[in-house]
Coordinates of all heavy atoms in Angstrom, one line a residue:
M1 N -7.0 62.7 77.3 CA -7.5 63.8 76.5 C -7.5 63.4 75.0 O -6.6 62.8 74.5 CB -6.5 65.0 76.6 CG -7.0 66.2 75.9 SD -5.8 67.6 75.9 CE -5.6 67.9 77.7
D2 N -8.6 63.6 74.3 CA -8.7 63.2 72.9 C -8.3 64.4 72.0 O -8.0 65.5 72.5 CB -10.1 62.6 72.6 CG -11.2 63.6 72.7 OD1 -10.9 64.8 72.7 OD2 -12.4 63.2 72.8
K3 N -8.4 64.1 70.7 CA -7.9 65.1 69.7 C -8.7 66.4 69.8 O -8.1 67.5 69.6 CB -7.9 64.5 68.3 CG -6.8 63.5 68.1 CD -6.8 63.1 66.6 CE -7.0 61.6 66.4 NZ -7.2 61.2 65.1
F4 N -10.0 66.3 70.0 CA -10.8 67.5 70.1 C -10.4 68.4 71.2 O -10.1 69.6 71.0 CB -12.3 67.1 70.2 CG -13.2 68.3 70.2 CD1 -13.5 69.0 69.1 CD2 -13.8 68.7 71.4 CE1 -14.4 70.1 69.1 CE2 -14.7 69.8 71.5 CZ -15.0 70.5 70.3
E5 N -10.2 67.8 72.4 CA -9.8 68.6 73.6 C -8.4 69.2 73.3 O -8.1 70.3 73.7 CB -9.8 67.7 74.8 CG -11.2 67.4 75.2 CD -11.3 66.3 76.2 OE1 -10.3 65.6 76.5 OE2 -12.4 66.0 76.7
E6 N -7.5 68.3 72.8 CA -6.1 68.8 72.5 C -6.1 70.0 71.6 O -5.4 71.0 71.8 CB -5.3 67.7 71.7 CG -4.4 66.9 72.6 CD -3.9 65.7 71.9 OE1 -3.5 65.9 70.7 OE2 -3.8 64.6 72.4
K7 N -6.9 70.0 70.5 CA -7.0 71.1 69.6 C -7.5 72.3 70.3 O -6.9 73.4 70.1 CB -8.0 70.7 68.5 CG -8.0 71.6 67.3 CD -7.3 70.9 66.2 CE -7.1 71.8 65.0 NZ -6.0 71.4 64.1
L8 N -8.5 72.2 71.1 CA -9.0 73.4 71.8 C -8.0 74.0 72.8 O -7.8 75.2 72.9 CB -10.3 73.1 72.6 CG -11.5 72.7 71.8 CD1 -12.7 72.5 72.7 CD2 -11.9 73.8 70.7
Q9 N -7.2 73.0 73.4 CA -6.1 73.5 74.3 C -5.0 74.2 73.6 O -4.5 75.2 74.1 CB -5.6 72.3 75.1 CG -6.5 71.8 76.1 CD -5.8 71.4 77.4 OE1 -4.6 71.2 77.4 NE2 -6.6 71.3 78.5
V10 N -4.7 73.7 72.4 CA -3.6 74.4 71.6 C -4.0 75.8 71.3 O -3.3 76.8 71.5 CB -3.3 73.6 70.3 CG1 -2.4 74.4 69.4 CG2 -2.6 72.3 70.6
F11 N -5.3 75.9 70.8 CA -5.8 77.3 70.5 C -5.9 78.2 71.7 O -5.6 79.4 71.7 CB -7.1 77.2 69.8 CG -7.1 76.6 68.4 CD1 -8.0 75.8 67.9 CD2 -6.0 77.0 67.6 CE1 -8.0 75.3 66.6 CE2 -6.0 76.5 66.3 CZ -6.9 75.6 65.8
A12 N -6.3 77.6 72.9 CA -6.4 78.3 74.1 C -5.0 78.9 74.5 O -4.9 80.0 75.0 CB -7.0 77.5 75.2
R13 N -4.0 78.0 74.4 CA -2.6 78.4 74.7 C -2.2 79.6 73.9 O -1.4 80.5 74.3 CB -1.6 77.3 74.6 CG -1.6 76.4 75.8 CD -0.3 75.6 75.9 NE -0.2 74.6 74.7 CZ -0.7 73.4 74.7 NH1 -1.4 73.0 75.7 NH2 -0.5 72.6 73.7
K14 N -2.7 79.7 72.6 CA -2.3 80.8 71.7 C -3.2 82.0 72.1 O -3.0 83.1 71.4 CB -2.6 80.4 70.3 CG -1.6 79.4 69.8 CD -1.8 79.1 68.3 CE -0.8 78.1 67.8 NZ -1.2 77.6 66.5
G15 N -4.1 81.9 73.0 CA -4.9 83.0 73.4 C -6.0 83.4 72.4 O -6.4 84.5 72.4
L16 N -6.4 82.4 71.6 CA -7.4 82.7 70.6 C -8.8 82.7 71.2 O -9.1 81.9 72.1 CB -7.4 81.6 69.5 CG -6.2 81.5 68.7 CD1 -6.4 80.5 67.5 CD2 -5.7 82.8 68.1
S17 N -9.6 83.7 70.8 CA -11.0 83.7 71.3 C -11.8 82.6 70.6 O -11.4 82.0 69.7 CB -11.6 85.1 70.9 OG -11.8 85.1 69.5
E18 N -13.0 82.4 71.1 CA -13.9 81.3 70.6 C -14.1 81.6 69.1 O -14.1 80.6 68.3 CB -15.2 81.3 71.4 CG -15.9 80.0 71.3 CD -16.9 79.8 72.4 OE1 -16.6 80.1 73.6 OE2 -18.0 79.4 72.1
E19 N -14.4 82.8 68.7 CA -14.6 83.2 67.3 C -13.4 82.8 66.5 O -13.5 82.3 65.3 CB -14.9 84.6 67.2 CG -16.4 84.9 67.4 CD -16.8 86.4 67.3 OE1 -15.9 87.2 66.8 OE2 -17.8 86.7 67.8
E20 N -12.2 83.2 67.0 CA -11.0 82.9 66.2 C -10.7 81.4 66.1 O -10.3 80.9 65.0 CB -9.8 83.6 66.9 CG -9.8 85.1 66.8 CD -8.8 85.7 67.7 OE1 -8.5 85.2 68.8 OE2 -8.2 86.8 67.3
V21 N -11.1 80.6 67.1 CA -10.9 79.2 67.1 C -11.9 78.6 66.0 O -11.5 77.8 65.1 CB -11.3 78.5 68.4 CG1 -11.4 77.0 68.3 CG2 -10.2 78.9 69.5
E22 N -13.1 79.1 66.0 CA -14.1 78.7 64.9 C -13.6 79.0 63.5 O -13.7 78.2 62.6 CB -15.4 79.4 65.2 CG -16.2 78.8 66.3 CD -17.5 79.5 66.6 OE1 -17.8 80.4 65.8 OE2 -18.2 79.1 67.5
K23 N -13.0 80.2 63.4 CA -12.5 80.6 62.1 C -11.3 79.7 61.6 O -11.3 79.2 60.5 CB -12.1 82.1 62.1 CG -11.8 82.5 60.7 CD -11.5 84.0 60.6 CE -11.1 84.3 59.1 NZ -10.2 83.5 58.5
K24 N -10.4 79.4 62.6 CA -9.3 78.6 62.3 C -9.7 77.2 61.8 O -9.2 76.6 60.8 CB -8.4 78.5 63.5 CG -7.2 79.4 63.4 CD -6.0 78.9 64.2 CE -4.7 79.2 63.7 NZ -4.4 79.8 62.5
I25 N -10.6 76.6 62.6 CA -11.1 75.2 62.3 C -11.9 75.3 60.9 O -11.7 74.4 60.1 CB -11.9 74.6 63.4 CG1 -11.1 74.5 64.7 CG2 -12.5 73.3 63.0 CD1 -11.7 73.8 65.8
L26 N -12.6 76.3 60.7 CA -13.3 76.5 59.4 C -12.3 76.5 58.3 O -12.5 75.8 57.3 CB -14.2 77.8 59.5 CG -15.2 78.0 58.4 CD1 -16.2 76.9 58.4 CD2 -15.9 79.3 58.5
D27 N -11.3 77.3 58.4 CA -10.2 77.4 57.4 C -9.6 76.0 57.2 O -9.3 75.6 56.1 CB -9.1 78.4 57.8 CG -9.7 79.8 57.7 OD1 -10.7 80.0 57.1 OD2 -9.0 80.7 58.2
E28 N -9.3 75.3 58.3 CA -8.5 74.1 58.2 C -9.4 72.9 57.7 O -8.9 72.0 57.0 CB -8.0 73.6 59.6 CG -6.7 74.3 60.0 CD -6.3 73.9 61.4 OE1 -6.6 72.7 61.8 OE2 -5.6 74.7 62.1
M29 N -10.6 72.9 58.1 CA -11.5 71.7 57.9 C -12.8 71.9 57.1 O -13.5 71.0 56.9 CB -11.8 71.0 59.2 CG -10.5 70.6 59.9 SD -10.8 69.9 61.5 CE -9.2 69.2 61.8
G30 N -13.1 73.2 56.8 CA -14.3 73.5 56.2 C -14.6 72.7 54.9 O -15.7 72.2 54.7
D31 N -13.5 72.5 54.1 CA -13.6 71.7 52.9 C -13.9 70.3 53.1 O -14.4 69.6 52.2 CB -12.3 71.9 52.0 CG -12.2 73.3 51.5 OD1 -13.1 74.0 51.6 OD2 -11.0 73.6 51.0
E32 N -13.6 69.8 54.3 CA -13.9 68.3 54.5 C -15.3 68.0 54.9 O -15.7 66.9 54.8 CB -12.9 67.8 55.6 CG -11.5 67.8 55.2 CD -10.6 67.3 56.3 OE1 -11.0 66.6 57.2 OE2 -9.4 67.7 56.3
C33 N -16.0 69.0 55.3 CA -17.4 68.8 55.7 C -18.3 68.3 54.6 O -18.3 68.9 53.5 CB -18.0 70.1 56.3 SG -19.7 70.0 56.8
I34 N -19.0 67.2 54.9 CA -19.8 66.5 53.9 C -21.3 66.8 54.1 O -22.1 66.2 53.4 CB -19.5 65.0 53.7 CG1 -19.8 64.3 55.1 CG2 -18.1 64.7 53.2 CD1 -19.7 62.8 55.0
C35 N -21.6 67.8 55.0 CA -23.0 68.1 55.2 C -23.8 68.4 53.9 O -24.9 68.0 53.8 CB -23.1 69.3 56.1 SG -22.7 68.9 57.8
P36 N -23.2 69.1 52.9 CA -23.9 69.4 51.7 C -24.4 68.1 51.0 O -25.3 68.2 50.2 CB -23.0 70.2 50.8 CG -22.1 70.9 51.8 CD -21.9 69.8 52.9
D37 N -23.8 67.0 51.3 CA -24.3 65.7 50.7 C -25.3 65.0 51.5 O -25.8 63.9 51.1 CB -23.1 64.7 50.5 CG -22.0 65.3 49.6 OD1 -22.4 66.0 48.6 OD2 -20.8 65.0 49.8
C38 N -25.6 65.5 52.7 CA -26.6 64.9 53.6 C -28.0 65.1 53.2 O -28.4 66.2 52.7 CB -26.3 65.5 55.0 SG -27.5 64.9 56.2
P39 N -28.9 64.1 53.4 CA -30.3 64.3 53.0 C -31.0 65.4 53.8 O -32.0 65.9 53.4 CB -30.9 62.9 53.3 CG -29.9 62.1 54.0 CD -28.6 62.8 53.8
M40 N -30.4 65.8 55.0 CA -31.0 66.8 55.8 C -30.7 68.2 55.3 O -31.3 69.2 55.7 CB -30.6 66.7 57.3 CG -31.2 65.5 57.9 SD -30.7 65.3 59.6 CE -31.2 66.8 60.4
F41 N -29.6 68.3 54.5 CA -29.1 69.7 54.1 C -30.0 70.2 53.0 O -30.0 69.8 51.9 CB -27.7 69.5 53.6 CG -26.9 70.8 53.6 CD1 -26.3 71.3 54.7 CD2 -26.7 71.4 52.4 CE1 -25.5 72.4 54.7 CE2 -26.0 72.6 52.3 CZ -25.4 73.1 53.5
N42 N -30.9 71.2 53.4 CA -31.9 71.7 52.5 C -31.5 73.0 51.8 O -30.4 73.5 52.0 CB -33.3 71.8 53.2 CG -33.2 72.8 54.3 OD1 -32.3 73.6 54.4 ND2 -34.2 72.7 55.2
Q43 N -32.4 73.5 51.0 CA -32.2 74.7 50.2 C -31.8 75.9 51.1 O -30.9 76.7 50.8 CB -33.5 75.1 49.5 CG -33.3 76.2 48.4 CD -32.3 75.8 47.3 OE1 -32.1 74.7 47.0 NE2 -31.6 76.8 46.8
C44 N -32.5 76.0 52.3 CA -32.2 77.1 53.2 C -30.7 77.0 53.7 O -30.0 78.0 53.7 CB -33.1 77.0 54.4 SG -32.7 78.1 55.8
A45 N -30.3 75.8 54.1 CA -28.9 75.6 54.5 C -27.9 76.0 53.4 O -26.8 76.5 53.6 CB -28.7 74.2 55.0
K46 N -28.3 75.6 52.2 CA -27.5 75.9 51.0 C -27.3 77.4 50.8 O -26.2 77.9 50.7 CB -28.1 75.2 49.8 CG -27.2 74.5 48.9 CD -27.9 73.9 47.7 CE -28.4 72.4 48.0 NZ -29.2 71.8 47.0
E47 N -28.4 78.1 50.9 CA -28.4 79.5 50.6 C -27.6 80.2 51.7 O -27.0 81.3 51.5 CB -29.8 80.0 50.6 CG -30.5 79.7 49.2 CD -32.0 80.0 49.2 OE1 -32.5 80.5 50.2 OE2 -32.6 79.6 48.2
K48 N -27.6 79.7 52.9 CA -26.8 80.3 54.0 C -25.4 79.9 54.1 O -24.7 80.2 55.0 CB -27.5 80.1 55.3 CG -28.8 80.8 55.5 CD -29.4 80.5 56.9 CE -30.8 81.1 57.1 NZ -30.8 82.5 57.4
Y49 N -25.0 79.1 53.1 CA -23.6 78.5 53.1 C -23.3 77.9 54.4 O -22.2 78.1 55.0 CB -22.6 79.6 52.7 CG -22.8 80.2 51.4 CD1 -23.4 81.4 51.2 CD2 -22.5 79.5 50.2 CE1 -23.6 81.9 49.9 CE2 -22.7 80.0 48.9 CZ -23.3 81.2 48.8 OH -23.5 81.7 47.6
E50 N -24.2 77.1 55.0 CA -24.0 76.5 56.3 C -23.1 75.2 56.1 O -22.8 74.8 55.0 CB -25.3 76.1 56.9 CG -26.1 77.3 57.4 CD -27.3 76.9 58.3 OE1 -27.6 75.7 58.3 OE2 -27.8 77.8 59.0
G51 N -22.7 74.7 57.3 CA -21.9 73.5 57.3 C -21.0 73.5 58.6 O -21.2 74.4 59.4
L52 N -20.2 72.5 58.7 CA -19.3 72.4 59.9 C -20.1 72.7 61.2 O -19.6 73.4 62.1 CB -18.1 73.4 59.8 CG -16.8 72.9 60.4 CD1 -16.1 71.9 59.4 CD2 -15.9 74.0 60.8
Y53 N -21.3 72.2 61.3 CA -22.1 72.3 62.5 C -21.5 71.8 63.7 O -21.8 72.3 64.8 CB -23.5 71.6 62.3 CG -24.3 72.1 61.1 CD1 -24.5 71.3 60.0 CD2 -24.9 73.4 61.1 CE1 -25.3 71.7 58.9 CE2 -25.6 73.8 60.0 CZ -25.8 73.0 58.9 OH -26.6 73.4 57.8
C54 N -20.6 70.8 63.6 CA -19.9 70.2 64.8 C -19.1 71.3 65.5 O -18.9 71.1 66.7 CB -19.1 69.0 64.3 SG -17.9 69.4 63.0
I55 N -18.7 72.3 64.8 CA -17.9 73.4 65.4 C -18.8 74.6 65.6 O -18.7 75.3 66.6 CB -16.7 73.7 64.5 CG1 -15.8 72.5 64.3 CG2 -15.8 74.9 65.1 CD1 -15.2 71.8 65.5
L56 N -19.5 75.0 64.5 CA -20.3 76.2 64.5 C -21.6 76.1 65.3 O -22.2 77.2 65.6 CB -20.4 76.7 63.1 CG -19.2 76.9 62.3 CD1 -19.5 77.3 60.9 CD2 -18.3 78.0 63.0
G57 N -22.1 74.9 65.5 CA -23.4 74.8 66.2 C -24.6 74.7 65.3 O -24.4 74.6 64.1
K58 N -25.7 74.7 65.9 CA -27.0 74.4 65.2 C -27.2 75.3 63.9 O -26.8 76.4 63.8 CB -28.2 74.7 66.1 CG -28.3 73.8 67.2 CD -29.5 74.2 68.1 CE -29.5 73.4 69.4 NZ -30.3 74.0 70.4
S59 N -28.0 74.7 63.0 CA -28.4 75.4 61.8 C -29.5 76.4 62.2 O -30.2 76.3 63.1 CB -29.1 74.4 60.9 OG -29.7 75.0 59.8
E60 N -29.5 77.5 61.3 CA -30.5 78.5 61.5 C -31.8 78.1 60.7 O -32.8 78.8 60.7 CB -30.0 79.9 61.0 CG -28.9 80.4 61.9 CD -28.3 81.7 61.4 OE1 -28.8 82.2 60.4 OE2 -27.4 82.2 62.0
C61 N -31.7 77.0 60.0 CA -32.8 76.6 59.1 C -33.6 75.5 59.9 O -33.2 74.9 60.8 CB -32.3 76.0 57.8 SG -31.3 77.2 56.9
T62 N -34.8 75.3 59.3 CA -35.6 74.2 59.9 C -35.3 72.9 59.0 O -35.6 72.9 57.9 CB -37.1 74.5 59.7 OG1 -37.3 75.8 60.3 CG2 -37.9 73.4 60.4
L63 N -34.6 72.0 59.7 CA -34.1 70.8 58.9 C -34.9 69.6 59.4 O -35.2 69.4 60.6 CB -32.6 70.5 59.2 CG -31.7 71.7 58.9 CD1 -30.2 71.3 59.2 CD2 -31.8 72.2 57.4
E64 N -35.3 68.8 58.5 CA -36.1 67.6 58.8 C -35.2 66.5 59.1 O -34.3 66.1 58.3 CB -36.9 67.2 57.6 CG -38.3 66.6 57.9 CD -39.2 66.5 56.7 OE1 -39.5 67.6 56.1 OE2 -39.5 65.4 56.4
E65 N -35.4 65.9 60.3 CA -34.5 64.8 60.8 C -34.4 63.6 59.8 O -35.5 63.1 59.4 CB -34.8 64.4 62.2 CG -33.6 63.6 62.8 CD -33.7 63.4 64.3 OE1 -34.3 64.3 65.0 OE2 -33.1 62.4 64.8
D66 N -33.3 63.2 59.5 CA -33.0 62.1 58.6 C -31.7 61.4 59.1 O -31.2 61.8 60.2 CB -32.9 62.5 57.2 CG -33.3 61.5 56.2 OD1 -32.9 60.3 56.4 OD2 -33.9 61.8 55.1
E67 N -31.1 60.6 58.2 CA -29.9 59.9 58.7 C -28.7 60.9 58.5 O -28.5 61.4 57.5 CB -29.7 58.7 57.8 CG -28.7 57.7 58.5 CD -28.4 56.5 57.6 OE1 -29.3 56.1 56.8 OE2 -27.3 56.0 57.7
C68 N -28.0 61.1 59.6 CA -26.8 62.0 59.6 C -25.6 61.2 59.0 O -25.4 60.1 59.5 CB -26.5 62.4 61.1 SG -25.0 63.4 61.2
I69 N -24.9 61.9 58.1 CA -23.8 61.2 57.5 C -22.5 61.6 58.1 O -21.4 61.3 57.6 CB -23.8 61.4 56.0 CG1 -23.7 62.9 55.6 CG2 -25.0 60.7 55.3 CD1 -23.4 63.1 54.1
C70 N -22.5 62.4 59.2 CA -21.3 62.8 59.9 C -20.3 61.6 60.2 O -19.1 61.8 60.0 CB -21.6 63.4 61.3 SG -22.2 65.1 61.1
P71 N -20.8 60.4 60.5 CA -19.9 59.3 60.8 C -18.9 59.0 59.6 O -17.9 58.4 59.8 CB -20.8 58.1 61.1 CG -22.0 58.7 61.7 CD -22.2 60.0 60.9
D72 N -19.3 59.4 58.4 CA -18.5 59.2 57.2 C -17.5 60.3 56.9 O -16.8 60.3 56.0 CB -19.4 59.0 55.9 CG -20.3 57.8 56.0 OD1 -19.9 56.8 56.7 OD2 -21.4 57.8 55.4
C73 N -17.6 61.4 57.8 CA -16.8 62.6 57.5 C -15.4 62.5 58.1 O -15.2 61.9 59.3 CB -17.5 63.8 58.1 SG -16.6 65.3 58.0
E74 N -14.4 63.0 57.4 CA -13.0 62.9 57.9 C -12.8 63.7 59.2 O -11.9 63.4 60.0 CB -12.0 63.4 56.8 CG -11.8 62.3 55.8 CD -10.8 62.8 54.7 OE1 -10.0 63.6 55.0 OE2 -11.0 62.3 53.6
V75 N -13.6 64.8 59.3 CA -13.4 65.6 60.5 C -13.7 64.8 61.8 O -13.1 65.1 62.8 CB -14.4 66.9 60.4 CG1 -14.3 67.7 61.7 CG2 -14.0 67.7 59.2
V76 N -14.6 63.9 61.7 CA -14.9 63.0 62.9 C -13.6 62.3 63.4 O -13.3 62.3 64.6 CB -16.0 62.0 62.6 CG1 -16.2 61.0 63.7 CG2 -17.3 62.7 62.4
E77 N -12.9 61.8 62.4 CA -11.7 61.1 62.7 C -10.6 62.1 63.2 O -9.9 61.9 64.1 CB -11.2 60.3 61.5 CG -10.3 59.1 61.9 CD -9.9 58.3 60.7 OE1 -10.8 58.1 59.9 OE2 -8.7 58.0 60.6
D78 N -10.5 63.2 62.4 CA -9.5 64.2 62.7 C -9.6 64.7 64.1 O -8.6 65.1 64.8 CB -9.6 65.4 61.8 CG -9.2 65.1 60.3 OD1 -8.6 64.0 60.1 OD2 -9.5 65.9 59.4
L79 N -10.8 64.9 64.6 CA -11.0 65.5 65.9 C -11.6 64.6 67.0 O -11.9 65.0 68.1 CB -11.9 66.7 65.8 CG -11.4 67.9 65.0 CD1 -12.5 69.0 64.9 CD2 -10.1 68.5 65.6
D80 N -11.7 63.3 66.7 CA -12.3 62.3 67.6 C -13.7 62.8 68.1 O -14.0 62.8 69.3 CB -11.4 62.2 68.9 CG -10.2 61.3 68.7 OD1 -10.2 60.5 67.7 OD2 -9.2 61.5 69.4
L81 N -14.5 63.2 67.2 CA -15.8 63.6 67.5 C -16.7 62.5 68.0 O -16.6 61.4 67.5 CB -16.5 64.4 66.4 CG -15.8 65.6 65.8 CD1 -16.6 66.2 64.7 CD2 -15.5 66.6 66.9
K82 N -17.6 62.7 69.0 CA -18.3 61.6 69.6 C -19.8 61.7 69.3 O -20.5 60.7 69.5 CB -18.2 61.7 71.1 CG -16.8 61.6 71.6 CD -16.8 61.5 73.1 CE -15.4 61.7 73.7 NZ -14.4 60.9 73.1
Y83 N -20.3 62.7 68.7 CA -21.8 62.9 68.5 C -22.1 62.9 67.0 O -21.3 62.7 66.2 CB -22.3 64.1 69.2 CG -22.1 64.1 70.7 CD1 -20.9 64.5 71.3 CD2 -23.0 63.5 71.6 CE1 -20.7 64.5 72.7 CE2 -22.8 63.4 72.9 CZ -21.7 63.9 73.5 OH -21.5 63.9 74.8
D84 N -23.4 63.2 66.7 CA -23.8 63.4 65.4 C -25.0 64.4 65.4 O -25.3 65.0 66.4 CB -24.2 62.1 64.7 CG -25.3 61.4 65.3 OD1 -25.9 61.9 66.3 OD2 -25.7 60.3 64.9
L85 N -25.7 64.6 64.3 CA -26.8 65.5 64.2 C -26.5 66.9 64.7 O -27.4 67.5 65.4 CB -28.1 64.9 64.9 CG -28.8 63.7 64.1 CD1 -29.7 63.0 65.0 CD2 -29.5 64.3 62.9
Y86 N -25.3 67.3 64.5 CA -24.9 68.6 65.1 C -25.8 69.8 64.6 O -26.0 70.8 65.3 CB -23.5 68.9 64.7 CG -22.5 67.9 65.2 CD1 -21.9 67.0 64.4 CD2 -22.2 67.9 66.6 CE1 -21.0 66.0 64.9 CE2 -21.3 67.0 67.1 CZ -20.7 66.0 66.2 OH -19.8 65.1 66.7
C87 N -26.3 69.7 63.4 CA -27.1 70.8 62.8 C -28.4 71.0 63.6 O -28.9 72.1 63.6 CB -27.5 70.5 61.4 SG -28.3 68.9 61.1
I88 N -28.9 70.0 64.3 CA -30.1 70.2 65.2 C -29.8 70.1 66.7 O -30.5 70.7 67.5 CB -31.3 69.3 64.8 CG1 -30.9 67.9 64.8 CG2 -31.9 69.7 63.4 CD1 -32.1 67.0 64.5
K89 N -28.7 69.4 67.0 CA -28.4 69.3 68.5 C -27.4 70.3 69.0 O -27.3 70.5 70.2 CB -27.8 67.9 68.7 CG -28.7 66.7 68.6 CD -28.0 65.5 69.0 CE -28.7 64.2 68.7 NZ -27.8 63.1 68.7
G90 N -26.6 70.9 68.1 CA -25.6 71.8 68.6 C -24.2 71.3 68.4 O -24.0 70.1 68.0
S91 N -23.2 72.1 68.7 CA -21.8 71.8 68.4 C -21.2 70.7 69.4 O -21.8 70.4 70.4 CB -20.9 73.0 68.6 OG -20.8 73.3 69.9
E92 N -20.1 70.1 69.0 CA -19.5 69.0 69.8 C -19.2 69.6 71.2 O -19.4 69.0 72.2 CB -18.1 68.6 69.1 CG -17.3 67.6 69.9 CD -17.8 66.2 69.7 OE1 -18.6 65.9 68.9 OE2 -17.3 65.3 70.5
K93 N -18.7 70.9 71.2 CA -18.4 71.5 72.5 C -19.6 71.6 73.4 O -19.6 71.2 74.6 CB -17.7 72.9 72.2 CG -17.1 73.5 73.4 CD -16.2 74.6 73.0 CE -15.6 75.4 74.2 NZ -16.6 76.3 74.8
E94 N -20.7 72.1 72.8 CA -21.9 72.2 73.6 C -22.4 70.8 74.1 O -22.9 70.7 75.2 CB -23.0 72.8 72.7 CG -22.8 74.3 72.5 CD -23.6 74.8 71.3 OE1 -24.1 74.1 70.4 OE2 -23.8 76.1 71.2
L95 N -22.3 69.8 73.2 CA -22.8 68.5 73.6 C -22.0 67.8 74.6 O -22.4 67.0 75.4 CB -22.9 67.6 72.3 CG -24.0 68.0 71.3 CD1 -23.8 67.2 70.0 CD2 -25.4 67.8 71.9
R96 N -20.7 68.2 74.7 CA -19.8 67.7 75.8 C -20.0 68.3 77.1 O -19.5 67.8 78.1 CB -18.3 67.8 75.3 CG -18.0 66.8 74.2 CD -16.5 66.9 74.0 NE -16.1 66.0 72.8 CZ -14.9 65.5 72.7 NH1 -14.0 65.8 73.5 NH2 -14.7 64.8 71.6
E97 N -20.6 69.5 77.1 CA -20.7 70.3 78.4 C -21.8 69.7 79.3 O -22.7 69.1 78.9 CB -20.9 71.8 78.1 CG -19.6 72.5 77.7 CD -19.8 73.8 77.1 OE1 -21.0 74.3 76.9 OE2 -18.8 74.4 76.7
Ligands
SF4_101 S1 -18.7 66.0 61.3 FE1 -20.6 66.5 60.3 S2 -20.9 68.6 60.8 FE2 -18.8 68.2 61.2 S3 -17.7 68.7 59.4 FE3 -18.2 66.6 59.2 S4 -20.1 66.4 58.1 FE4 -19.9 68.5 58.8
SF4_102 S1 -24.7 67.6 60.9 FE1 -25.1 65.5 60.2 S2 -27.3 65.5 60.0 FE2 -26.7 67.6 60.0 S3 -26.4 68.2 57.9 FE3 -24.4 67.5 58.7 S4 -24.3 65.4 58.1 FE4 -26.4 66.0 58.0

């Protein structure tokens, strides 16, 4: 089991709902997200205060595909994330299913 699965299991043991888990991770790691520095992060995403797509899932904006900088983000290491381009592909959880 990797760190992402461990984290989800810890929250599941505490009986947290999916929304509560998202909120907790947002509180813990939201500041580490470097999406705002990514070439794909456009005005629409900025105005909607988007980010942490790896947990929250796809963007509601139309983003033009470019180089994803997730591999440089600390959250990838913190949670052993395996994918990228979360803003258009969906969350880590969705991509693992
Ligand atoms: S891995 Fe990507 S989507 Fe997730 S917090 Fe880091 S930069 Fe944002
Ligand atoms: S998920 Fe990756 S591609 Fe999308 S905005 Fe964040 S860093 Fe850029």
Side-chain angles (χ1 to χ4, degrees):
M1 187 188 300
D2 65 19
K3 288 188 233 169
F4 182 73
E5 288 164 356
E6 262 172 39
K7 191 103 186 160
L8 293 185
Q9 285 219 343
V10 168
F11 289 142
R13 277 202 295 274
K14 288 182 179 169
L16 299 186
S17 68
E18 205 160 312
E19 274 176 18
E20 287 167 326
V21 169
E22 285 177 0
K23 191 178 176 309
K24 262 207 146 350
I25 296 184
L26 190 61
D27 287 347
E28 277 180 28
M29 299 178 171
D31 289 347
E32 289 179 26
C33 178
I34 56 171
C35 287
D37 297 330
C38 174
M40 287 179 61
F41 199 81
N42 62 15
Q43 190 61 29
C44 170
K46 225 177 269 175
E47 283 168 9
K48 288 180 185 283
Y49 298 103
E50 288 191 345
L52 214 82
Y53 300 113
C54 54
I55 303 300
L56 302 176
K58 288 180 195 162
S59 170
E60 290 176 5
C61 301
T62 308
L63 305 181
E64 211 169 302
E65 192 164 336
D66 204 321
E67 197 180 333
C68 175
I69 60 170
C70 286
D72 296 332
C73 176
E74 283 180 26
V75 175
V76 168
E77 204 177 317
D78 290 347
L79 293 177
D80 285 335
L81 301 184
K82 299 188 192 313
Y83 297 90
D84 63 1
L85 284 167
Y86 298 106
C87 55
I88 53 175
K89 289 188 192 159
S91 68
E92 177 82 10
K93 190 164 176 281
E94 288 163 341
L95 291 170
R96 287 186 184 205
E97 281 165 1

